[in-house]
Structures are given as structure tokens and as C-alpha cells.
RNA sequence: GCCCCCGUCGUCUAGCCUGGCCAAGGACACCGCCCUUUCACGGCGGCGACACGAGUUCAAAUCUCGUCGGGGGUACCA
């Protein structure tokens, strides 16, 4: 694979040869709709999409729903939603269950050419074969025993009510698998067994439909997870038997959990659900940037990539071979970066749904006030969801005084508590008398009090902070006082004193 | 069991193809200091890796072989 010859195009060279793969790339993302889109799937989608965009190609979404028992409409829509949220848009879309006749046609061809055959083995029989093969340390289990059935055999099986599957006859010559990421290798045919390509209920199987559709849809590059590596020679064998060409393959390393195992819906649940990250207040830019760097890098310094930069810089040649551990800390870092990147207005827009979901606001009529709150919170959000603990007290005075904060700043002993009551009482009086309630006036008044009475600033400030917010952390206290307003502040201090 | 893939700081990685510039660079995390009304931000500093063993070579993280370790697959799932 050569470099993208963009330069040649810019020169306006009027030939087609120099364009190379640039304008003919066709890739696909082929999820099976058996659950939410998971993080690994999102990365596969992203790599395909980036590759397509980079080469001015076509990105196709193909729903591989041949497993009718597990596929659901709901899941299909969840996948659409997740992809749209990420901004990964597709140019063409196909659903495999609507393409039965195409697969049936190819199966007939395989049967007629003698490259496939019906197998009447029962599940029990297959189980036995497997067990025996394992005991004998064989490299494959199914032994092709129904390759050459007599018509009497068939009649007998049919009479017994057995429903056959269709199996592909694997070749007896090595299969060359070329992979852009992993390199080339030759697969010993003795390790391949006659795969089932059509189930006994007549439904075709993944290895068959996948490679047929790749050919039918003129896919040029198959970019998928390495869990499919062992399927590749099988699919190539099927394509060969059908006389179809095969795309180029690029198997990307797995996304692993912290103990090094493949992330899966089954074992990791919500942790891998893309939609879950959206609900928790992650930005799509952050998720995209994060998964892009799982298994791919541009150079030895750049970590932050806008989508446009990703498109410009993505290259399969820089995809690594080993699996990558999903580290949520890094995602969080990226997320806070992208949140901070938003201006106050955009950040307010982003955060409003979270306030609403929490029941803290019901209209946006107080827009200016909300923006001021967001401004005061500043760079304290790791996720949008963090806006709740950071700002709850602005919307209600029904909050708990955090025990740890109380103990540390209000005092563990009665003596210290008494001192705190005194400070709060004095502050109350100062704030009652202060001519205006803007940040500067309040600040001046409070500093004057602490400094003149030889009270530690931090002690007074934290005592007041807890009285006003119930917590020991958050935005500048003067901002909080100003945003809460005189009435609210003068109401909360006595209440705090009473609770001391 | 069998088949296949992989192996640089705790994590993501640069470097490996085209041996020397690598007493291995960056980022996240962690720790410390500074800033500071708190918590974050930010600034500065610290901790920290070539899986192991042979071989080739003047020289190996880089090439070769072996060992060990990890992972994926092994379905009438995809």
C-alpha cells in the first residue's frame, strides 16, 4: 500500500493511474445487531470510516443479522444512534436478512460445482466427533464424513427426519492470507475443516454471507478486529470456490480490559456500551479521539486529534499489532480537555440536559444565570455529569452537610464548633450590612474581617462554603455568594449555625 | 488439546522494516513541590520499560533461533 498520492491530483494530472486507491476505496462496518454498539465496535467503525474519508472512499454500514435468533430491531437502532452520535455517517446501508436470495444463488452454485455438500450429522454426532478429535489431538474436528454420501444414505437420513446443513469443501492446497497490519502467512489446509455455510434451517452463515457481500459490494479493504483472523482463510476459500475476488484485509488488535482480556458485552456490560458514555456525559470528540489512539498513533508527541486531523493523518501502516488496554483515566483526561474547549455558551448547552434529568431546572428562562454558574465552575468538569455534584446547591438548599467536610472545617470538638458559630455569625452580619453583593465588595468585606480579627482566611472561607453548599470543594466562594444572591445567602447561614 | 496472533514504563505509545543519533522519548495515571479561600486548572520535578536466553555483529530495543508469558479462535454466533 503506497502513500496517498494527493500531490498528483493537486497538480491536475489528467490520468487515472496516479489516483491509485484514492478514489476507489470501499470499506464496511458489519455489526451484528445483538446488543448495543460496544467500544471495540466503535473503534472498528472509526478506523473504517477514517480510512474511507482519508481516501475519499465510501463507507458502508452492513447489518450482519443472519443469526435471526439473536438479532433484534432494537439493537439495530441502538447501533444507528451510537454511530450517529459519534458522527460516523455512512454512505450506503445493507441488511443481510433482506438478501437471502443472493446467498441462496451462490449456495446453489457451490452445490452444483461440487464445492459444497449437504451434511446430515446430528448435533450429538458432531459433539462426539469433536470430543474424539480432541482426545486424539487432531488439528481439526469435523472429518468430512458426509462428503460422499450415497443416495441410500441420504434417503435414510431424510426418512429419519434429519435436516441437513451445507458445508464448504476446504481445498487441499495452502491458502495465502495477506494482511496489511499483520503481514502475510500461509495457512496449512490440514488445519481447516469443512465449515457449515448454511444452517439446517436454511439460513446462511457469517463466513459465507460476509465474503459474498464483500464481493457483491465491491469492498476493497476489510478492516476488522483480530477475532476474525481465523475466519479469513475460510472466507478466502469460499471466495475461491465461487470464483470471486477477495478484498485486502487489515486485522486490528483487540481492545482489552485491565487484565488483558478482550472486552466483551458479556463480561463488561455497560463499561463497553458506547451509549452509556453518552449518558454519563462524555463528548463524542473525546470518545473518538480516545479509541483512535487505541492501537494507532501518529508520531511520538501528538495525543489530541480533531476529527479532521484524524481523517488527514489516519494510516493503516501505523496501526500496531498488539492489543490495547482500555484505560478510562485517559478517556477522562481527553473528555475534560474537550469540555474545557467549549465556550461557556456551548458548555451550558451541553450541561442543561443533565440538570434537567436531575430535576434541578425545568426551563431555560434563567439562561444568563446558568451561564454564570457554568463560568464559575470553570475547568472542574471531567464529565458533563459532574455538573450535578458541582452545582446542585445553586438550585436547592436541601442538601446534606458533608460529614468529612464538617469534621475538618466546622470542627470536631465543641470548642471549635463554638468558634465556627462565632465566625459564621460575624460573616452573616457583614454580609447583611454589605452595600452590594457583587464579587469585589463581598471579597473586600470578608478579607477585612479575617485580617483585622486575625482569623485564617481558609478557616473562614471553608466554614462559609460548607454553610452555603454543604461541600468543601467547588468554584470560588465569592462567585458562589454572588450567584446565590443576598436573600439565599442570608437564609443559609443561620440555618447552618443551627445545624452546627 | 489443537490452530493462529502478539510481547518497550502500571496504561496508551515513539523507536524496530532501513542495527550505532536510545545510559530508550512523549502522553495518561501515580507521588512531591509551587500557585491558591477549597477542589480542580496550570507550572516544575520525581517514579517507571526494551519478557528471558543464546547467536550474528566492532555495535542489537532494533536481525536470527529458542524459551517463557499473554491473548484470540476452536459453534448449525458474528
Amino acid at each position: 500500500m503506497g502513500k496517498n498520492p494527493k500531490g498528483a491530483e493537486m497538480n491536475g494530472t489528467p490520468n487515472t493511474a496516479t489516483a491509485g486507491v484514492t478514489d476507489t476505496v470501499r470499506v464496511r462496518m458489519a455489526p451484528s445487531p445483538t446488543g448495543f454498539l460496544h467500544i471495540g465496535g466503535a473503534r472498528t467503525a472509526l478506523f473504517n470510516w477514517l480510512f474511507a474519508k482519508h481516501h475519499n472512499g465510501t463507507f458502508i454500514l452492513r447489518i450482519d443479522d443472519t443469526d435471526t435468533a439473536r438479532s433484534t430491531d432494537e439493537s439495530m437502532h441502538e447501533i444507528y444512534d451510537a454511530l450517529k452520535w459519534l458522527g460516523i455517517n455512512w454512505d450506503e446501508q445493507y441488511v443481510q436478512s433482506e438478501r437471502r436470495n443472493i446467498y441462496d444463488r451462490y449456495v446453489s452454485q457451490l452445490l452444483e460445482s461440487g464445492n459444497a455438500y449437504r451434511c446430515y450429522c446430528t448435533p450429538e454426532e458432531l459433539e462426539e466427533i469433536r470430543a474424539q478429535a480432541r482426545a486424539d489431538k487432531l488439528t481439526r474436528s469435523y472429518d468430512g464424513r458426509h462428503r460422499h454420501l450415497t443416495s441410500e444414505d441420504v434417503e435414510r437420513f431424510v426418512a429419519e427426519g434429519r435436516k441437513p446443513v451445507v458445508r464448504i469443501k476446504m481445498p487441499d492446497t495452502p491458502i495465502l492470507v495477506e494482511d496489511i497490519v499483520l503481514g502475510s502467512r500461509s495457512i496449512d489446509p490440514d488445519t481447516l475443516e469443512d465449515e457449515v455455510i448454511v444452517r439446517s434451517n436454511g439460513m446462511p452463515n457469517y463466513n459465507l454471507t460476509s465474503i459474498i457481500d464483500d464481493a457483491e459490494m465491491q469492498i476493497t479493504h476489510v478492516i476488522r478486529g483480530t477475532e476474525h483472523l481465523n475466519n479469513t482463510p475460510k472466507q478466502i476459500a469460499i471466495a475461491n470456490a465461487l470464483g470471486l475476488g477477495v478484498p485486502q484485509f487489515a486485522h486490528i488488535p483487540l481492545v482489552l480490559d485491565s487484565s488483558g482480556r478482550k472486552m466483551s458485552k458479556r463480561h463488561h456490560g455497560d463499561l463497553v456500551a458506547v451509549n452509556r458514555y453518552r449518558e454519563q456525559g462524555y463528548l463524542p470528540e473525546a470518545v473518538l479521539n480516545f479509541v483512535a489512539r487505541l492501537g494507532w498513533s501518529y508520531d511520538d508527541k501528538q495525543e489530541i486529534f480533531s476529527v479532521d486531523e484524524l481523517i488527514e493523518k489516519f494510516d493503516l501502516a501505523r496501526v500496531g499489532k498488539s492489543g490495547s488496554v482500555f484505560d478510562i483515566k485517559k478517556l477522562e483526561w481527553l473528555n475534560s480537555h474537550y469540555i474545557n474547549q467549549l465556550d461557556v455558551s456551548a458548555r451550558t448547552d451541553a450541561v442543561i440536559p443533565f440538570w434537567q434529568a436531575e430535576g434541578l431546572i425545568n426551563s431555560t428562562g434563567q439562561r444568563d444565570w446558568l451561564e454564570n454558574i457554568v463560568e464559575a465552575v470553570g475547568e472542574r468538569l471531567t464529565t458533563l455529569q459532574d455538573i450535578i455534584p458541582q452545582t446542585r446547591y445553586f438550585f436547592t438548599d436541601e442538601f446534606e452537610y458533608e460529614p468529612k467536610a464538617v469534621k475538618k472545617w466546622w470542627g470536631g470538638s465543641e470548642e471549635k464548633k463554638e468558634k465556627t458559630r462565632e465566625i459564621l455569625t460575624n460573616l452573616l452580619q457583614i454580609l447583611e450590612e454589605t452595600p452590594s453583593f457583587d464579587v469585589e465588595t463581598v471579597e473586600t468585606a470578608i478579607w477585612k474581617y479575617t485580617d483585622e480579627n486575625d482569623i485564617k482566611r481558609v478557616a473562614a472561607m471553608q466554614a462559609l462554603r460548607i454553610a452555603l453548599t454543604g461541600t468543601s470543594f467547588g468554584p470560588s466562594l465569592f462567585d458562589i455568594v454572588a450567584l446565590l444572591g443576598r436573600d439565599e445567602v442570608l437564609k443559609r447561614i443561620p440555618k447552618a449555625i443551627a445545624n452546627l
Side-chain angles (χ1 to χ4, degrees):
Chain A
M1 242 206 59
K3 290 278 181 198
N4 175 18
K6 274 251 167 66
E9 285 177 11
M10 299 303 283
N11 292 336
T13 313
N15 64 47
T16 50
T18 52
V21 297
T22 305
D23 54 5
T24 62
V25 161
R26 287 174 63 81
V27 293
R28 66 5 179 235
M29 150 78 173
S32 62
T34 56
F36 46 74
L37 178 69
H38 82 101
I39 208 80
R43 191 186 55 152
T44 302
L46 177 65
F47 281 19
N48 276 284
W49 185 77
L50 291 175
F51 186 72
K53 292 286 170 194
H54 181 88
H55 292 289
N56 254 305
T58 303
F59 174 65
I60 295 164
L61 177 63
R62 189 178 80 205
I63 304 296
D64 281 9
D65 61 345
T66 53
D67 184 355
T68 48
R70 294 198 307 150
S71 300
T72 67
D73 255 29
E74 191 196 352
S75 157
M76 203 161 92
H77 288 288
E78 266 197 63
I79 291 169
Y80 294 157
D81 283 351
L83 252 20
K84 284 180 189 163
W85 176 65
L86 289 169
I88 297 177
N89 50 318
W90 51 101
D91 305 302
E92 295 174 23
Q93 180 178 337
Y94 303 91
V95 178
Q96 287 196 323
S97 58
E98 295 167 358
R99 298 165 61 80
R100 274 289 295 280
N101 52 347
I102 295 174
Y103 312 129
D104 289 351
R105 220 173 54 227
Y106 282 105
V107 172
S108 304
Q109 187 186 326
L110 248 17
L111 250 12
E112 279 161 27
S113 66
N115 284 305
Y117 60 96
R118 293 192 174 81
C119 166
Y120 291 82
C121 289
T122 62
E124 297 73 32
E125 201 174 342
L126 290 173
E127 190 46 53
E128 238 173 77
I129 295 172
R130 254 194 298 276
Q132 190 54 245
R134 197 174 179 133
D136 294 344
K137 302 192 176 193
L138 264 29
T139 60
R140 60 181 170 192
S141 55
Y142 184 70
D143 51 10
R145 63 178 61 177
H146 284 192
R147 270 194 183 196
H148 307 286
L149 252 25
T150 64
S151 46
E152 291 81 56
D153 292 330
V154 174
E155 267 175 46
R156 198 179 73 244
F157 290 142
V158 171
E160 285 175 20
R162 293 197 195 184
K163 293 268 188 286
V165 299
V166 178
R167 287 182 186 269
I168 179 83
K169 266 187 199 165
M170 281 298 167
D172 48 16
T173 50
I175 293 175
L176 179 69
V177 177
E178 294 177 285
D179 191 282
I180 296 171
V181 174
L182 298 172
S184 301
R185 71 213 157 95
S186 179
I187 302 301
D188 180 349
D190 290 342
T191 66
L192 264 19
E193 62 183 56
D194 293 349
E195 291 289 320
V196 172
I197 54 174
V198 180
R199 299 170 170 87
S200 55
N201 67 5
M203 209 46 194
N205 253 339
Y206 166 74
N207 280 127
L208 178 81
T209 60
S210 184
I211 198 66
I212 286 177
D213 276 342
D214 289 340
E216 284 273 326
M217 296 167 191
Q218 301 181 52
I219 300 299
T220 56
H221 303 259
V222 168
I223 302 168
R224 60 179 20 162
T226 49
E227 71 265 30
H228 288 297
L229 197 56
N230 293 314
N231 286 325
T232 309
K234 302 174 190 172
Q235 296 179 2
I236 291 174
I238 294 171
N240 289 161
L242 246 14
L244 299 172
V246 294
Q248 293 195 60
F249 294 94
H251 287 92
I252 60 181
L254 266 15
V255 177
L256 313 171
D257 66 16
S258 54
S259 52
R261 289 170 187 281
K262 178 175 131 182
M263 290 267 239
S264 68
K265 299 171 190 174
R266 170 100 192 264
H267 297 290
H268 302 88
D270 279 0
L271 186 65
V272 298
V274 171
N275 279 333
R276 189 80 178 128
Y277 287 93
R278 172 194 202 166
E279 288 160 17
Q280 289 176 340
Y282 286 86
L283 260 24
E285 302 90 301
V287 174
L288 247 24
N289 195 152
F290 175 66
V291 299
R293 287 283 289 97
L294 247 31
W296 173 84
S297 67
Y298 177 65
D299 58 19
D300 63 345
K301 47 179 80 78
Q302 189 170 1
E303 293 289 343
I304 307 284
F305 295 86
S306 67
V307 172
D308 286 342
E309 279 179 301
L310 248 19
I311 291 170
E312 183 200 328
K313 294 175 172 173
F314 184 76
D315 182 356
L316 286 175
R318 293 201 60 87
V319 172
K321 295 180 178 182
S322 51
S324 325
V325 173
F326 178 98
D327 178 14
I328 193 134
K329 289 288 188 186
K330 186 137 183 192
L331 208 208
E332 287 176 352
W333 171 69
L334 283 164
N335 202 50
S336 66
H337 168 83
Y338 282 102
I339 289 176
N340 296 340
Q341 203 79 350
L342 300 173
D343 62 35
V344 171
S345 176
R347 211 182 305 161
T348 305
D349 289 337
V351 126
I352 283 175
F354 290 85
W355 274 328
Q356 287 172 333
E358 192 70 13
L360 296 175
I361 60 172
N362 38 38
S363 78
T364 54
Q366 354 154 47
R367 177 78 195 190
D368 287 349
W369 186 59
L370 295 181
E371 286 201 7
N372 289 337
I373 289 175
V374 169
E375 171 96 70
V377 168
E379 301 188 327
R380 272 169 268 251
L381 302 179
T382 294
T383 66
L384 297 173
Q385 179 86 65
D386 288 346
I387 197 68
I388 303 304
Q390 282 287 346
T391 64
R392 157 169 268 126
Y393 54 83
F394 279 116
F395 306 95
T396 173
D397 62 0
E398 285 175 24
F399 50 77
E400 301 287 314
Y401 299 105
E402 246 179 43
K404 268 186 79 176
V406 166
K407 192 173 181 208
K408 176 163 186 190
W409 297 105
W410 276 3
S413 65
E414 190 49 40
E415 191 185 350
K416 271 199 75 181
K417 282 184 179 175
E418 190 48 48
K419 181 70 185 165
T420 304
R421 278 190 207 102
E422 186 194 319
I423 292 174
L424 286 178
T425 306
N426 291 335
L427 287 173
L428 177 62
Q429 195 187 348
I430 289 162
L431 291 170
E432 272 171 343
E433 291 166 358
T434 199
S436 82
F437 232 64
D438 59 278
V439 172
E440 268 181 45
T441 312
V442 171
E443 181 172 351
T444 309
I446 292 182
W447 282 169
K448 183 165 182 285
Y449 163 70
T450 55
D451 297 351
E452 284 179 358
N453 293 281
D454 206 23
I455 291 167
K456 274 190 186 153
R457 287 184 170 191
V458 63
M461 297 297 276
Q462 286 300 77
L464 183 58
R465 176 185 293 279
I466 295 164
L468 263 24
T469 72
T471 68
S472 60
F473 62 87
S476 163
L477 187 54
F478 301 119
D479 285 341
I480 292 173
V481 168
L483 284 166
L484 238 24
R486 176 168 244 138
D487 290 352
E488 197 58 35
V489 169
L490 298 187
K491 221 169 67 192
R492 289 187 189 187
I493 296 175
K495 187 180 170 189
I497 293 172
N499 272 283
L500 250 157

